[in-house]
Amino acid sequence: MAQATTTNHRGTTTQNSAHGGQNRQRAIQHVQGREPVKSAIDYTKTSVAEVFGTNVFSRHTMRTLLPKAVYKELERCLEQGVGLQPHLADVVANAMKDWAIARGATHFTHWFHPMTGLTAEKHDSFLVSSGDDGAILEFSGKVLVQGEPDASSFPSGGIRSTFEARGYTGWDPTSPAFIMESINGKTLCIPTVFCAYSGHALDKKTPLLRSIDAVNKQGLRLLHLLGNTAAKRVTCTVGPEQEYFLIDESFYLLRPDLINCGRTLFGAKPPKGQEMEDHYWGSIRERVLSFMMDAEFELYKLGVPVKTRHNEVAPAQFEVAPVFESSNIATDHNMVLMEVFKKTAQKHGFRCLFHEKPFSGVNGSGKHNNWSLADDAGNNLLEPGTTPHENKQFLVVLTAVIRAVNKFGALLRTSIATAANDHRLGANEAPPAIMSIYLGDRLTHIVDSIITGTADSAIATKNIQIGVSTLPELPRDDSDRNRTSPFAFTGNKFEFRAVGSSQSIGWPNTVLNTIVADSLDHISTRIEEEIKGGKDLNVALQSVVKAVLTENDRVLFNGDNYSREWHEEAERRGLPNLRNTIEALPILNSADTQSLFEKFKVLSRDELLSRYNIMLESYCKTINVEALMTINIGTTMILPAALEYQGRLAASIVQTKNAISGLDLTPQEQMLREVAERVSKLKTNLDQLNAISHEVDEGDVDVLHHASFYQSKVLPAINAVRHVADELELMVDDSLWPLPKFREMLYIY
Ligand code: ADP
Ligand code: MG
């Protein structure tokens, strides 16, 4: 049958062929013809050290290029978080421009993180007219420090009315500028915040920076109280492990759902999934490794310290992890990493999928947000020490984190609430939506012994006297890991494991930092009160740590987070279980959350409300697009293939009956009946989804109500269509099936 181009009722054009299987065969041939692609680097000639950071206007570069006095002043501004004087900004801008132009940059852009969850850039050339038909290249301090993009199309959640649509971007000197390369040129990217003229944050970076500030203030206060007067700064450190899928582009282009929604809306589970456990840490195929090395090369130039690479659990799933950095830079670098991975994948004939659940029935992807605190000398505050002094700091900070996760567990869960992550959380592949902390047996015994005030027989140690006794050594080996915990202590840091793979880590870290700042504040205040009451520091510590642990230990859980028993137990303990985004997001609107963010000046009430609105709107939009795409593919690709097969079966039965009489064709008639019933069901379910999609009240001003409709009505209708379609996939003649199957996409590359 000939190719037919159909335009459906929503105006989308799809290439459709009754012999859909031919497209799949052609895609497979394409894959067969692919070769690993070489990258531009030869490490036998150039070492990683020589490449690393060459495209970054780093502190080191600034120190070499800037006049000494200017650099000193810049450093002072960075330390104190104050703005640079205009004439000094001019000097920095000029040095930055010369440096970038010398490396081939023709354009610059303020690079920011609007609340779309992506990054935004609008390029401007350095070019200005000299007035005599000539051209000069210019970049002033004013242009470096502030930009005024016409940014009216970015989500603002109601903060900014259209008449004052122009927000501004402001230079974030704490994250270095960098040069992005592409085939025909280079662009200088300057990390910036994005705010409305009223000062309201319209991005993900501004609240993150404010939360970092809050931790710094409260962290220093506590350290000084503990007698560590040398510390001048407390920073949050983050190392995000990033999971992703690689799919050959030939298959990807035949999947309109992957192209438009980032995930497959149809597809039966492959006969071989991940149950053989043969992919995790398996040897990396040449084509994939070539991609990884090429992407790493690009990232090295950008100063992104990628370190680890390996095959993940699901087929065609992989992971990359960097060396940890301060959380602002780690967040910027993670965005850069995703960008570079997507670009490089295409160069290698792949598409890189960051969606949390691209393939139903196989593991989804997450982003393990490793998090800790450090002082300005680089000492990790969650490193259990070998001296009573170090232990003191460790135990107090640990206690603060435990309280934070217990008191604000619901908020923490909300920080990872998206339509995409809903497919993954609690699905026996990722932690459930109940926030709890895994400490491991040893540390749990220590905490228990502090709470009960008794010696710990299990590890044969004496009664823990904070500030006086040392801790028994804590194990840090992998065997002690609990992969089911959403928030696990892994030796000297916490790993927040429920973060979604596609989301910016800016928001979860903003929340994490703020709730920890609150606990550091709470603990310092209590210690100060005890000391005022006449207690000695160590005695005060012992009693405050004991009290705070006792008040918050319900959040500690070392067992299997996937089990039903835990869900019951968590309910008995009163821990919130916000199963999906719609249950979670209202937490943002609660009085507790508002006063938390206001207290630490991280988000005003308006800014918080705008985020709540944007997240709900984004939820609605995601599911709306999925619904339309389900209708589109179901109607124009799957139904035609199934009808064709149904017709062939019917014709074959009639012809056979005509040819020979007396044959029992009941089994064949049964085949036909099973197909025909599902075809009818598919049509009915598509009609239902269509009807429900039209029931959505686009004018609904109650966003939560609007989003709830998507969750409770539209989503189940999408799933109902999928269910029948996936059954048909397992019945219909393979040569007619138009969509690349999971067994192909996940295994042929
Ligand atoms: P594993 O979790 O397998 O033990 P690593 O210890 O190397 O592996 O850490 C995994 C991730 O955690 C890496 O990205 C690493 O940089 C990061 N990480 C390590 N220490 C810290 C820390 N103190 N703060 C934040 N992230 C950290
Ligand atoms: Mg991992």
Side-chain angles (χ1 to χ4, degrees):
M1 192 177 283
Q3 288 269 339
T5 302
T6 47
T7 303
N8 74 355
H9 64 293
R10 287 179 206 271
T12 316
T13 305
T14 27
Q15 280 280 312
N16 191 16
S17 160
H19 293 284
Q22 285 175 356
N23 290 338
R24 287 167 37 225
Q25 288 311 318
R26 270 197 292 274
I28 292 172
Q29 280 163 16
H30 254 119
V31 184
Q32 267 181 327
R34 292 213 200 266
E35 296 286 342
V37 178
K38 247 190 97 44
S39 76
I41 183 78
D42 178 352
Y43 291 114
T44 62
K45 299 206 172 73
T46 318
S47 78
V48 172
E50 285 173 82
V51 169
F52 195 82
T54 44
N55 280 345
V56 182
F57 195 64
S58 62
R59 289 263 192 130
H60 174 76
T61 310
M62 287 196 261
R63 193 166 23 202
T64 12
L65 296 181
L66 291 174
K68 214 172 187 170
V70 176
Y71 181 74
K72 269 213 143 134
E73 181 57 17
L74 178 66
E75 253 196 337
R76 194 187 66 83
C77 292
L78 288 176
E79 288 306 319
Q80 300 177 2
V82 293
L84 203 59
Q85 286 174 16
H87 69 283
L88 293 181
D90 274 335
V91 180
V92 176
N94 209 41
M96 196 187 276
K97 179 202 73 183
D98 289 346
W99 170 85
I101 289 174
R103 272 158 191 76
T106 56
H107 289 64
F108 68 92
T109 178
H110 278 193
W111 181 81
F112 57 102
H113 308 246
M115 290 188 284
T116 52
L118 306 168
T119 57
E121 51 190 85
K122 182 189 132 227
H123 301 191
D124 274 301
S125 137
F126 290 116
L127 189 70
V128 288
S129 164
S130 62
D132 52 3
D133 299 335
I136 50 170
L137 303 180
E138 219 176 70
F139 186 55
S140 67
K142 200 166 149 247
V143 177
L144 163 68
V145 171
Q146 189 162 319
E148 297 186 31
D150 178 14
S152 46
S153 295
F154 289 110
S156 79
I159 276 187
R160 190 190 45 193
S161 52
T162 19
F163 66 85
E164 47 163 323
R166 288 162 76 88
Y168 72 90
T169 48
W171 180 35
D172 168 19
T174 61
S175 181
F178 55 92
I179 293 174
M180 273 287 198
E181 299 182 0
S182 69
I183 293 181
N184 291 327
K186 302 180 184 180
T187 306
L188 171 68
C189 299
I190 301 155
T192 56
V193 296
F194 176 42
C195 296
Y197 269 106
S198 56
H200 287 109
L202 293 170
D203 66 345
K204 300 206 181 229
K205 188 190 264 284
T206 306
L208 177 64
L209 290 173
R210 293 174 183 160
S211 75
I212 290 168
D213 219 41
V215 167
N216 178 40
K217 279 204 190 89
Q218 298 306 329
L220 270 186
R221 177 177 159 214
L222 182 68
L223 290 194
H224 290 170
L225 199 54
L226 298 184
N228 178 353
T229 45
K232 290 198 176 57
R233 201 168 185 84
V234 170
T235 55
C236 313
T237 53
V238 170
E241 300 166 52
Q242 175 75 54
E243 294 178 338
Y244 61 97
F245 281 83
L246 284 179
I247 300 299
D248 192 278
E249 190 165 52
S250 314
F251 294 131
Y252 176 88
L253 294 177
L254 294 175
R255 296 283 324 207
D257 45 3
L258 275 183
I259 295 174
N260 284 281
C261 306
R263 74 177 181 106
T264 54
L265 298 168
F266 296 95
K269 206 171 163 308
K272 180 173 185 276
Q274 60 201 43
E275 55 285 325
M276 309 291 266
E277 296 172 337
D278 53 355
H279 194 254
Y280 189 61
W281 288 19
S283 80
I284 305 171
R285 292 193 204 175
E286 183 62 24
R287 221 183 120 206
V288 171
L289 192 54
S290 309
F291 153 76
M292 290 173 166
M293 290 176 165
D294 204 9
E296 285 161 8
F297 168 54
E298 293 303 323
L299 290 167
Y300 290 153
K301 287 191 278 183
L302 291 163
V304 181
V306 276
K307 188 171 168 67
T308 311
R309 57 181 180 226
H310 63 80
N311 285 4
E312 253 303 325
V313 170
Q317 191 188 30
F318 308 92
E319 182 178 299
V320 53
V323 177
F324 68 92
E325 302 175 278
S326 79
S327 67
N328 180 34
I329 293 179
T331 303
D332 283 358
H333 278 173
N334 182 248
M335 297 309 282
V336 168
L337 181 146
M338 290 199 283
E339 180 94 22
V340 166
F341 264 48
K342 279 192 217 159
K343 234 162 70 176
T344 312
Q346 261 178 276
K347 183 176 149 195
H348 288 250
F350 287 120
R351 287 302 172 117
C352 184
L353 310 180
F354 287 115
H355 194 282
E356 281 73 5
K357 193 73 180 178
F359 304 98
S360 168
V362 290
N363 266 20
S365 301
K367 189 131 64 185
H368 296 174
N369 192 82
N370 293 274
W371 177 97
S372 190
L373 297 177
D375 65 18
D376 48 311
N379 300 307
N380 180 353
L381 304 190
L382 282 170
E383 181 76 53
T386 47
T387 67
H389 176 74
E390 289 166 341
N391 292 164
K392 175 162 76 181
Q393 191 170 284
F394 166 69
L395 284 171
V396 176
V397 175
L398 179 79
T399 303
V401 179
I402 292 173
R403 175 185 176 276
V405 176
N406 181 47
K407 182 151 197 270
F408 295 105
L411 177 59
L412 195 58
R413 186 267 175 268
T414 302
S415 77
I416 50 156
T418 61
N421 216 11
D422 279 359
H423 296 291
R424 192 175 78 96
L425 293 183
N428 267 354
E429 57 170 275
I434 307 163
M435 292 297 118
S436 69
I437 294 181
Y438 169 84
L439 287 184
D441 290 342
R442 277 284 184 87
L443 195 50
T444 303
H445 283 306
I446 291 167
V447 164
D448 285 347
S449 80
I450 294 173
I451 290 175
T452 55
T454 55
D456 183 355
S457 55
I459 45 175
T461 183
K462 51 191 182 301
N463 195 346
I464 302 288
Q465 291 294 312
I466 298 168
V468 181
S469 59
T470 53
L471 296 179
E473 207 182 316
L474 297 171
R476 204 179 292 174
D477 65 319
D478 225 43
S479 60
D480 202 35
R481 294 287 174 82
N482 182 331
R483 299 269 162 206
T484 70
S485 175
F487 205 87
F489 184 71
T490 51
N492 60 356
K493 61 187 183 291
F494 277 98
E495 188 171 335
F496 185 20
R497 305 181 62 250
V499 180
S501 50
S502 72
Q503 79 177 115
S504 156
I505 57 171
W507 179 233
N509 280 297
T510 300
V511 169
L512 189 50
N513 296 344
T514 310
I515 64 180
V516 170
D518 176 77
S519 281
L520 294 169
D521 171 38
H522 175 87
I523 288 176
S524 293
T525 304
R526 280 172 82 161
I527 295 170
E528 282 162 0
E529 277 165 7
E530 300 255 334
I531 291 175
K532 247 187 238 151
K535 276 194 192 144
D536 157 83
L537 173 67
N538 285 341
V539 178
L541 282 180
Q542 189 81 23
S543 91
V544 171
V545 167
K546 176 179 173 165
V548 176
L549 286 174
T550 310
E551 290 154 15
N552 293 285
D553 72 342
R554 66 170 188 169
V555 79
L556 303 180
F557 180 64
N558 287 343
D560 179 1
N561 282 255
Y562 296 171
S563 70
R564 247 221 1 254
E565 293 74 32
W566 168 235
H567 285 241
E568 289 159 10
E569 166 70 14
E571 198 176 335
R572 274 195 295 278
R573 294 189 191 185
L575 291 172
N577 182 7
L578 306 167
R579 287 162 302 172
N580 56 53
T581 299
I582 302 303
E583 287 184 16
L585 286 181
I587 295 292
L588 284 184
N589 231 353
S590 70
D592 280 355
T593 306
Q594 280 174 1
S595 56
L596 168 79
F597 282 120
E598 275 182 340
K599 178 170 182 193
F600 294 97
K601 301 196 166 48
V602 172
L603 287 171
S604 70
R605 191 173 284 232
D606 285 347
E607 288 171 327
L608 194 56
L609 188 62
S610 81
R611 275 152 186 80
Y612 169 72
N613 285 332
I614 289 172
M615 286 176 203
L616 283 171
E617 278 164 15
S618 153
Y619 181 89
C620 298
K621 285 177 191 162
T622 303
I623 297 189
N624 184 44
V625 173
E626 289 183 351
L628 297 182
M629 187 48 71
T630 299
I631 295 170
N632 191 317
I633 295 177
T635 309
T636 66
M637 296 177 86
I638 295 180
L639 257 186
L643 278 169
E644 170 73 17
Y645 182 55
Q646 176 187 308
R648 286 188 189 183
L649 280 178
S652 145
I653 291 169
V654 173
Q655 282 165 13
T656 310
K657 275 188 178 158
N658 286 344
I660 322 172
S661 58
L663 259 186
D664 177 16
L665 292 181
T666 318
Q668 296 184 33
E669 285 167 359
Q670 182 58 22
M671 261 173 92
L672 174 58
R673 186 167 295 115
E674 283 172 12
V675 171
E677 277 168 6
R678 281 174 181 80
V679 169
S680 303
K681 187 88 184 136
L682 179 59
K683 174 73 178 111
T684 311
N685 290 359
L686 280 165
D687 288 345
Q688 261 165 18
L689 174 57
N690 215 339
I692 287 169
S693 297
H694 282 97
E695 267 175 50
V696 176
D697 175 9
E698 291 303 339
D700 197 342
V701 285
D702 181 345
V703 233
L704 181 62
H705 181 263
H706 192 52
S708 301
F709 187 85
Y710 275 105
Q711 196 258 329
S712 61
K713 295 286 190 302
V714 182
L715 201 51
I718 291 175
N719 292 338
V721 170
R722 186 204 183 123
H723 183 75
V724 201
D726 289 357
E727 285 181 346
L728 279 167
E729 184 190 320
L730 299 177
M731 296 176 167
V732 169
D733 181 347
D734 185 66
S735 72
L736 296 173
W737 199 256
L739 295 168
K741 298 183 172 180
F742 284 15
R743 64 160 197 251
E744 294 157 346
M745 287 187 286
L746 294 171
Y747 287 95
I748 304 175
Y749 57 88

